[in-house]
Amino acid sequence: MPVRRAPGFACVVAGMQTRWTPRAPSPLRETAVYVPAQIVGAIAGAILADAMLGEPLVTWSTHDRSAG
């Protein structure tokens, strides 16, 4: 026996497909999300590495670094 659907079912599905169809993100928006995500990931990775090695999670550098 075929499945009976409500009369407006096709319209609802078509509307959902139109609404949820992914669009190509704008380069500015993509960059605005990508850059902070990379920074947060780098900081979280450094903290996780310190935790795995039993080091203090966050410390200030005491080395004087110079280019010359």
Side-chain angles (χ1 to χ4, degrees):
M1 176 181 232
V3 177
R4 297 183 145 241
R5 294 191 174 119
F9 184 76
C11 294
V12 171
V13 171
M16 288 174 63
Q17 287 175 345
T18 302
R19 182 176 181 190
W20 296 107
T21 301
R23 297 181 189 153
S26 69
L28 181 60
R29 183 175 179 180
E30 189 173 304
T31 302
V33 173
Y34 182 78
V35 170
Q38 287 292 317
I39 292 170
V40 169
I43 293 169
I47 292 172
L48 179 63
D50 285 340
M52 289 176 13
L53 296 173
E55 299 289 329
L57 299 183
V58 179
T59 58
W60 290 103
S61 175
T62 58
H63 299 290
D64 182 24
R65 302 184 192 277
S66 64

